Amino acid sequence: MDQRTVRFPNARWSWTLMTAREDTRMPRVRSGGTAKLLQGFIVYSLHPENGQQKMFYRVDESELLTLQEGLYPFDDEQEKHMLSCMDRCRTALQGFCMLIGEVALTFLSQMEELEWKLEELEGRMKRSNDSKVLDEIMDLQYEVLDWHRILQPLEEFHAAAKGWAEDSPCHEYDNNELLLQRLHSRLNRYRTELDILLNIDNNIATYRGNEIMKTLTVFSVICTPATVFGSIWGMNFKNMPELELPFGYALAISAIVLLTLSVYFWMHWKGWTGDLLKGKNKDSNIV
């Protein structure tokens, strides 16, 4: 485990940073009762290979202690900028709020990838709504659910630190509140758009299913005369009418065709065929 301490002599508080290479289990956000103490964890990074990486913290008025899983969350340039801002913070809580603000800003930029996926899915769904679209909608819904889970520890810390911020004004706390509102606004918009896409997909699937059933029903009704004639003339009785007619076969075929056409035009006149037997527009969204 790596450890180092950064001291801010002007503000009279310090930040102890520890990095662990293995998984660590610590409790969620909780308050220290009458003492001003908060401890818990936040998700600080979405690593492409290792997934979510957590930062466990313990913060009071004069000391901030953090423990990171895996890699250190900030590069040299980010750390230099953040330490410069932290040096102007009067308490460890304000310094930690500054750190959380950097994490929230990173999340805002990472959410853009989710927005690009959503825009691409909307365009592909409009062009061709095949069975793969539903799988992609579900994948994005799970991704939005993961983002809600990632933001939950930030909200818990924000709620637990509210009393401190009320006792002494904290500009960093107010900034984080705005960042959390932006993050939730984006997630709510993504969730709403995914719900709309899912409803559209369900409506199209229902429409297609109804069209298929109606088509099969119309086809069955139109073929009824041929079925009836085939059933009658397929009987094997010794004495049957029309067996000696020279044009009996032609008359039977003509009667079948005539009755089939009569049934079709009658259903068309009643408006029961609709657009089932018409070709769909090639630009239709439900083909």
Side-chain angles (χ1 to χ4, degrees):
M1 180 181 293
D2 301 329
Q3 178 176 336
R4 66 190 180 95
T5 301
V6 180
R7 302 188 182 279
F8 304 96
N10 294 331
R12 297 181 181 179
W13 66 277
S14 62
W15 177 18
T16 302
L17 304 88
M18 296 185 292
T19 303
R21 302 299 173 180
E22 66 279 353
D23 291 339
T24 309
R25 296 291 179 263
M26 291 184 69
R28 297 184 71 88
V29 178
R30 66 184 185 187
S31 175
T34 56
K36 289 187 175 181
L37 170 67
L38 290 175
Q39 61 184 15
F41 77 89
I42 62 171
V43 178
Y44 68 83
S45 176
L46 301 177
H47 197 272
E49 295 180 358
N50 301 328
Q52 300 179 10
Q53 292 183 312
K54 298 176 182 177
M55 173 186 288
F56 301 93
Y57 64 86
R58 183 181 185 276
V59 57
D60 56 25
E61 293 180 317
S62 60
E63 183 181 15
L64 169 62
L65 173 66
T66 61
L67 171 62
Q68 292 82 234
E69 290 182 344
L71 300 175
Y72 183 64
F74 305 109
D75 56 31
D76 294 339
E77 184 176 351
Q78 286 178 304
E79 181 183 8
K80 183 178 179 181
H81 170 72
M82 190 170 59
L83 291 178
S84 176
C85 295
M86 283 182 166
D87 192 38
R88 296 192 294 269
C89 297
R90 298 188 304 275
T91 64
L93 175 66
Q94 292 179 353
F96 189 52
C97 285
M98 178 67 68
L99 186 150
I100 287 182
E102 292 293 325
V103 173
L105 286 173
T106 303
F107 287 165
L108 276 175
S109 62
Q110 290 176 336
M111 278 187 184
E112 293 178 358
E113 182 179 355
L114 177 59
E115 186 162 359
W116 295 336
K117 291 179 182 178
L118 186 56
E119 291 178 359
E120 182 181 356
L121 176 61
E122 291 174 357
R124 187 162 64 255
M125 185 174 182
K126 187 175 181 180
R127 292 190 300 270
S128 176
N129 184 30
D130 53 24
S131 58
K132 295 181 180 179
V133 169
L134 180 59
D135 290 334
E136 296 186 23
I137 292 176
M138 299 304 297
D139 288 340
L140 289 181
Q141 284 188 321
Y142 280 120
E143 195 167 342
V144 169
L145 182 62
D146 288 339
W147 272 110
H148 277 287
R149 191 177 295 111
I150 289 169
L151 295 183
Q152 186 177 359
L154 292 179
E155 294 177 340
E156 291 179 355
F157 168 79
H158 190 267
K162 184 177 182 180
W164 286 16
E166 290 177 350
D167 292 341
S168 58
C170 182
H171 178 68
E172 293 78 11
Y173 179 88
D174 296 335
N175 287 341
N176 289 347
E177 184 174 15
L178 294 176
L179 287 173
L180 286 175
Q181 290 177 359
R182 291 179 61 188
L183 288 168
H184 272 291
S185 176
R186 283 193 180 186
L187 286 181
N188 290 334
R189 177 165 59 86
Y190 298 156
R191 184 169 55 186
T192 300
E193 292 181 8
L194 285 171
D195 288 342
I196 293 174
L197 291 180
L198 185 61
N199 288 334
I200 292 175
D201 185 79
N202 289 336
N203 291 336
I204 292 176
T206 302
Y207 174 81
R208 286 174 174 171
N210 292 337
E211 289 289 286
I212 292 172
M213 293 304 299
K214 288 191 290 184
T215 301
L216 294 176
T217 301
V218 170
F219 183 78
S220 299
V221 173
I222 291 176
C223 293
T224 298
T227 303
V228 172
F229 274 87
S231 300
I232 293 175
W233 282 320
M235 298 178 183
N236 294 320
F237 290 104
K238 183 176 181 180
N239 298 316
M240 295 182 65
E242 298 94 18
L243 289 178
E244 303 299 329
L245 291 177
F247 301 104
Y249 191 77
L251 289 175
I253 295 297
S254 300
I256 291 173
V257 172
L258 180 62
L259 286 175
T260 300
L261 292 176
S262 299
V263 170
Y264 168 72
F265 285 115
W266 177 73
M267 294 183 67
H268 184 72
W269 174 71
K270 296 286 289 185
W272 292 348
T273 58
D275 59 351
L276 298 178
L277 303 181
K278 299 178 182 178
K280 293 288 192 302
N281 188 340
K282 64 179 181 179
D283 296 328
S284 174
N285 294 323
I286 58 176
V287 174

